[in-house]
Amino acid sequence: MTSATADSSAGRVRGRPRPLRPPGWTRFDGWGVLVLPLLVFLVLVFVVPLVFMLSRSLTDPSVGLQNYRDVFANAVYPRVLGNTFLIAAIVTVVTLALAYPYAYLMTLVGPGWRMVMMGLVLVPFWTSILVRSFALVLFLRDTGAFNSTLQSLDLVDQPVPLIRTLTGVVFGMVQVALPFAVLPIYATMQGIDRRLLQAAESLGDRPAGAFWRIFVPLSAPGVAAAVLLTFVQALGYYITPALLGGPKNTMIGELIVQQVSTVLRFGFAAALATLLLLTTLLLLVVAGRFVDLQKHLMRQP
Amino acid sequence: MTKILTRAGLVTLAVVVGVYLVLPVLIVVPMSFSDSSFLSFPPGETSLRWFRNILDDPVWLDSALASLNVALLSSVCAVVLGVLAALALVRGSLPFRNTIMAVLLAPLIVPYVIVGLAAYIAFLELGLTQTTLGFVLVHTCLAVPYVVINVVAGLVSVDRRLEMAAMSLGAGPVTTFFKVTLPLILPSVLAGGLFAFFISWDEVVTAIFLSGPELTTLPVQMWSGIRVQIDPTVAALSTLVLVVIFGSFTVLGLTRLVRQVARRRTARPATNTGA
């Protein structure tokens, strides 16, 4: 029974989900038509504004690629773009390093502890990002819980500067990103047949060897999805870096809001947003050839 | 020996990660009950003065009502559109299925900053910024994928023979949906609706773009509160928001549990006759 379900889920893991009907031209049937209201809604309220934004980036203040040239003309903006990628990469690596062993332990413990561990993952999921980032500011600032604990233990004389630093941003962003990484990794690990490990060990492999040669490769699809989702989302974070970061580690999201709200450079902000959007889509399309994103997105809690 | 050490290492790491995951809640809740007029840790004397502060300041109440209004309307829109789309995805035949799926799931991927800017640029022309309609349109987009995901998961497990039985007894498709299918998928629909509600209730980034003196939602008000001065009122508000969210999910979880137990009881004779 368990092997049958494991097999069928493993069959679905590989490649894209199979179309329910034979390939070739299909038409909307009576049920299929029901997707149209939502589709029309999303095109009008979501897609059309994005196209509008794109055209604004090419026409405001004047027609042409002026805004895109401006992004790269001043040294400040390429640095922000570089920062954004660097921070997103660091966040992804740290998140993965914490999420993988956590998810692995979830597969080892009994059902009761597993529920507790899953509950801990879902608590931040249901806590607003604003509240979480605000709480982490309170935790990390000079008079915050972290520094006052260190000082009361006489470990440091001066508070360690954490807020408005790279450490602060990464600490906050990893907190936000962790659940998004744990869930796909755990879901994939759960489907791995543990008897394969036993088989390897019975054939003489050491447990560590079996883990690295069998478990890790089999968990790769979940890891790939987690890495992709974490990185892509981290590129677009706004609230957390704005609260925990400083001028030295501004990310593109803050720059976009800044350009609209303080200097009213709509065309320029639109160009920045278009660059971010295209990067995101490019990453998804390229990585989507190797990762079945649709499956992982459809399983979000 | 190495196995024990590895296990001990794993458990330690998991404890650290677990604490890290709930850290914000551990910080905000005690601080909101602090009596001190600035945020300090440990919180010291407890009091409810910051909660009283929320009730005294009409700004908080007004923005909370605006948020409630937007969240209710958005979740209703998201549920209606999402349930229809989920039916189409599970039951129907769709040309360009992958493209359609990409559009339906895109709001999960596109950064909210971009959605907010795009909506702001488009809505300025239409006069929809700072209006309930504008907020509802954007929040419905952001929330609807969660409804679709939840309802698809519910629909997949529905036994189609129950629908066919209803149809064979003369019920039309609409009657069958409301009398048979909807009651069966109601928990998923409610879960999707609750998700939609909280995504809207909580959403800051696009709301920052759309807000203004005419209409501001609670998270945006909190956001400006945090930026201007860090004051325990925001901690108290955060606690209230947490209580509302966790309360509703607990209630939902309990009703699900009750339903599962009830279903297991009623399902037993059915499986017997089936065998």
Side-chain angles (χ1 to χ4, degrees):
Chain A
M1 180 60 202
T2 36
S3 73
T5 47
D7 284 347
S8 67
S9 67
R12 254 183 284 129
V13 170
R14 281 170 231 296
R16 294 162 177 285
R18 234 154 255 212
L20 297 171
R21 268 147 224 283
W25 179 248
T26 50
R27 290 162 184 281
F28 285 111
D29 62 4
W31 288 110
V33 167
L34 297 179
V35 83
L36 290 178
L38 178 55
L39 205 58
V40 170
F41 177 84
L42 284 176
V43 167
L44 286 180
V45 182
F46 186 78
V47 180
V48 168
L50 287 175
V51 175
F52 239 74
M53 182 187 81
L54 176 83
S55 81
R56 188 83 184 245
S57 76
L58 296 168
T59 55
D60 181 4
S62 57
V63 179
L65 289 169
Q66 187 67 41
N67 287 314
Y68 292 90
R69 223 175 301 135
D70 285 353
V71 173
F72 296 100
N74 187 332
V76 174
Y77 305 122
R79 215 190 61 212
V80 171
L81 297 184
N83 264 335
T84 306
F85 277 91
L86 180 69
I87 293 174
I90 297 175
V91 167
T92 306
V93 170
V94 177
T95 304
L96 185 67
L98 296 177
Y100 194 86
Y102 189 86
Y104 179 61
L105 191 68
M106 278 177 79
T107 65
L108 294 183
V109 296
W113 281 110
R114 189 174 307 145
M115 274 234 314
V116 172
M117 289 181 82
M118 185 53 103
L120 290 174
V121 174
L122 293 178
V123 166
F125 219 90
W126 294 333
T127 316
S128 83
I129 288 182
L130 184 61
V131 171
R132 285 150 79 183
S133 309
F134 168 64
L136 293 176
V137 171
L138 300 182
F139 180 72
L140 293 177
R141 66 200 177 127
D142 288 357
T143 54
F146 186 77
N147 270 314
S148 52
T149 312
L150 283 188
Q151 278 176 312
S152 65
L153 293 173
D154 276 332
L155 289 172
V156 291
D157 299 328
Q158 293 289 315
V160 187
L162 291 167
I163 231 160
R164 314 240 167 277
T165 66
L166 182 64
T167 321
V169 186
V170 172
F171 189 85
M173 287 175 65
V174 170
Q175 210 281 337
V176 176
L178 259 175
F180 291 101
V182 171
L183 292 170
I185 295 177
Y186 172 67
T188 308
M189 283 180 174
Q190 210 186 10
I192 296 177
D193 191 343
R194 296 211 140 256
R195 287 173 308 176
L196 292 171
L197 289 163
Q198 288 165 14
E201 285 176 41
S202 76
L203 291 169
D205 204 348
R206 287 176 303 116
F211 176 78
W212 287 108
R213 268 188 284 274
I214 293 171
F215 193 83
V216 171
L218 284 175
S219 63
V223 173
V227 165
L228 186 60
L229 289 176
T230 310
F231 187 76
V232 162
Q233 290 192 330
L235 286 179
Y237 278 5
Y238 168 64
I239 295 294
T240 313
L243 280 180
L244 287 157
K248 274 191 177 167
N249 29 61
T250 305
M251 291 183 77
I252 189 170
E254 299 169 74
L255 189 59
I256 292 171
V257 177
Q258 228 178 61
Q259 292 297 315
V260 174
S261 61
T262 59
V263 271
L264 301 175
R265 284 175 78 186
F266 279 78
F268 187 70
L272 287 170
T274 305
L275 286 175
L276 176 58
L277 181 65
L278 292 180
T279 315
T280 307
L281 292 182
L282 190 73
L283 277 170
L284 291 174
V285 168
V286 172
R289 304 184 73 87
F290 307 102
V291 182
D292 186 358
L293 254 186
Q294 202 168 301
K295 190 194 72 174
H296 286 283
L297 285 176
M298 281 303 279
R299 215 170 31 201
Q300 281 213 349
Chain B
M1 189 60 198
T2 43
K3 199 166 184 179
I4 296 172
L5 278 179
T6 324
R7 284 274 166 120
L10 265 181
V11 170
T12 316
L13 190 106
V15 171
V16 172
V17 172
V19 172
Y20 185 25
L21 284 167
V22 291
L23 188 66
V25 178
L26 297 180
I27 297 271
V28 157
V29 176
M31 281 198 173
S32 63
F33 291 101
S34 157
D35 189 40
S36 133
S37 41
F38 52 94
L39 285 155
S40 59
F41 200 90
E45 296 269 301
T46 58
S47 95
L48 292 175
R49 59 188 280 202
W50 302 113
F51 290 93
R52 232 173 293 129
N53 223 17
I54 298 171
L55 294 176
D56 290 344
D57 193 344
V59 164
W60 296 117
L61 205 63
D62 287 350
S63 56
L65 284 177
S67 275
L68 190 68
N69 195 16
V70 167
L72 280 174
L73 290 169
S74 317
S75 48
V76 169
C77 294
V79 163
V80 172
L81 293 169
V83 169
L84 291 176
L87 281 167
L89 284 173
V90 176
R91 298 284 154 78
S93 146
L94 295 182
F96 316 111
R97 195 184 174 87
N98 279 335
T99 315
I100 289 177
M101 281 302 283
V103 175
L104 296 193
L105 295 177
L108 291 176
I109 291 286
V110 176
Y112 282 13
V113 175
I114 298 178
V115 181
L117 178 67
Y120 184 52
I121 288 176
F123 287 4
L124 268 180
E125 314 261 328
L126 302 167
L128 284 174
T129 56
Q130 303 186 50
T131 63
T132 305
L133 176 63
F135 273 96
V136 170
L137 290 176
V138 174
H139 282 178
T140 302
C141 280
L142 300 180
V144 84
Y146 292 90
V147 179
V148 173
I149 289 168
N150 268 294
V151 178
V152 163
L155 269 175
V156 170
S157 63
V158 167
D159 188 346
R160 285 210 76 178
R161 285 173 301 180
L162 294 171
E163 290 172 352
M164 288 175 196
M167 304 267 258
S168 74
L169 291 169
V174 177
T175 317
T176 309
F177 175 75
F178 281 105
K179 298 262 166 167
V180 180
T181 318
L182 189 59
L184 285 170
I185 59 168
L186 200 60
S188 337
V189 174
L190 286 179
L194 207 56
F195 262 110
F197 180 88
F198 284 119
I199 281 163
S200 167
W201 168 258
D202 229 31
E203 202 284 322
V204 213
V205 181
T206 67
I208 289 174
F209 283 99
L210 297 178
S211 282
E214 300 282 313
L215 185 68
T216 299
T217 55
L218 185 63
V220 177
Q221 203 70 57
M222 287 171 71
W223 169 248
S224 25
I226 293 171
R227 301 217 96 179
V228 176
Q229 53 169 67
I230 291 194
D231 162 309
T233 312
V234 182
L237 271 166
S238 305
T239 305
L240 285 183
V241 172
L242 287 178
V243 168
V244 173
I245 292 183
F246 283 102
S248 349
F249 276 103
T250 314
V251 170
L252 184 81
L254 286 179
T255 46
R256 255 192 185 177
L257 204 70
V258 170
R259 273 176 162 272
Q260 265 175 8
V261 172
R263 197 181 302 162
R264 222 167 280 157
R265 277 209 192 124
T266 50
R268 212 163 286 147
T271 39
N272 281 344
T273 45

